């Protein structure tokens, strides 16, 4: 069986090595906190205004300000800055915390579409950092699609009301 | 509804702040790679030899050497060292990756029992580091119990064969 990270690489087209190139530099030191805040604000402004309703609705139960803070605190922590996310919320637990959301291939692509636009809009981010971040985001998005499929697999467990095959999901 | 980290604090008796004290020092620099390898080797030797069969069996489908490497690479990465775990396996995704295992309150306590013994056996670990690590482990163990309960909650979704209440699990 393919591992989560193997699926992520196959589906994203980004190798494990390229995805974690972010660990060979310190993007937080290079870009600074405000750039990460700007990026997440730009990103979620696009998401909450998305003309694609199916995607916008995924976020309907989350507050925009909170989504922004969760995201930039995680990015800062993961890209060489202080552990802002864990101080406030504990482990990132990316798959566990994305459990309420339908993280499909289509949703991953839409997320990445907005993130690419956001990266292009925040002019403080140089081309090299942008490439590294996008590789990390692309691989991570499909890692979460792989994580989401685990959830569907469990829902396919036969129920106890006499049917011998898994319930359709 | 209580968040994962609130449940973790309540059940473990360790506050969020105490759990993430590990971020205010660099335990990897203080202790070095070999100490982490020794700790995980000591820990899993206890686990795989556990006289409590119910606990030992949780690990029956995992190779001991692999369990040791997964653990010390994660600890090293999380406690200030190089990102060994992510280079090899991607995101820790603690809840997602513990999905196959029944992480009950009882299992958390048994895990912590062995970890306390392992910490006490590895003499290179000073008392202060030991306290910090144990707070982190204790909080994390119950964070995973909270994560495990999400899984059970989903299994309780009504099945599609006419029963109006959730299937027993």
């Amino acid at each position: 069986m393919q591992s989560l990270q193997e699926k992520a690489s196959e589906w994203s087209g980004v190798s494990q090595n390229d995805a974690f190139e972010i660990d060979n530099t310190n993007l937080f030191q290079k870009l600074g906190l405000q750039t990460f805040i700007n990026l997440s604000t730009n990103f979620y402004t696009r998401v909450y205004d998305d003309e694609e309703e199916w995607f916008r609705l995924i976020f309907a139960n989350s507050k925009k300000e909170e989504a922004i803070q969760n995201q930039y605190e995680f990015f800062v922590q993961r890209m060489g800055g202080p552990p802002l996310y864990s101080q406030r919320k504990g482990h990132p637990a990316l798959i566990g915390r994305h459990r309420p959301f339908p993280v499909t291939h289509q949703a991953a692509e839409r997320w990445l579409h907005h993130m690419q636009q956001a990266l292009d809009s925040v002019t403080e981010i140089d081309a090299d950092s942008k490439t590294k971040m996008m590789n990390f985001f692309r691989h991570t998005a499909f890692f979460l699609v792989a994580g989401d499929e685990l959830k569907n697999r469990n829902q396919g467990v036969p129920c106890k009301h006499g049917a011998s095959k898994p319930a359709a999901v």
Side-chain angles (χ1 to χ4, degrees), chain A residues 28-73:
Chain A
F28 175 76
Q29 277 176 8
K30 196 170 179 184
L31 301 173
L33 176 62
Q34 191 57 50
T35 302
F36 284 95
I37 296 175
N38 295 348
L39 176 66
S40 295
T41 304
N42 193 299
F43 170 77
Y44 273 113
T45 299
R46 294 170 188 280
V47 166
Y48 278 79
D49 289 344
D50 194 351
E51 59 190 21
E52 300 269 0
E53 192 188 19
W54 66 270
F55 188 72
R56 203 175 64 229
L57 285 178
I58 296 174
F59 303 85
N61 292 323
S62 313
K63 284 187 193 139
K64 183 178 167 187
E65 292 312 310
E66 208 173 315
I68 292 169
Q69 189 182 6
N70 288 343
Q71 188 185 76
Y72 78 72
E73 287 189 351

Side-chain angles (χ1 to χ4, degrees), chain A residues 28 73-74 76-78 80-90:
Chain A
F28 175 76
E73 287 189 351
F74 171 67
V76 163
Q77 170 165 335
R78 191 60 193 76
L84 300 180
Y85 187 90
S86 288
Q87 282 165 6
R88 197 168 56 88
K89 302 200 68 172

Side-chain angles (χ1 to χ4, degrees), chain A residues 100-133:
Chain A
F101 308 107
V103 189
T104 61
H105 287 254
Q106 193 190 14
E109 290 293 3
R110 191 77 191 154
W111 192 102
L112 290 163
H113 164 77
H114 290 305
M115 185 50 85
Q116 183 66 65
Q117 305 261 309
L119 283 166
D120 289 342
S121 304
V122 179
T123 52
E124 307 93 279
I125 307 178
D126 61 287
D128 180 61
S129 301
K130 216 189 279 188
T131 302
K132 288 194 172 80
M133 289 167 86

Side-chain angles (χ1 to χ4, degrees), chain A residues 135-153:
Chain A
N135 280 336
F136 173 76
F137 294 147
R138 196 166 171 82
H139 190 275
T140 301
F142 285 97
F143 180 86
L144 291 177
V145 176
D148 195 75
E149 293 197 345
L150 296 176
K151 180 171 86 180
N152 296 332
R153 198 188 303 161

Side-chain angles (χ1 to χ4, degrees), chain A residues 7-21:
Chain A
K7 286 185 186 168
S9 291
E10 185 185 323
W11 295 340
S12 66
V14 178
S15 71
Q16 179 87 358
N17 274 351
D18 285 349
F20 288 92
E21 261 297 300

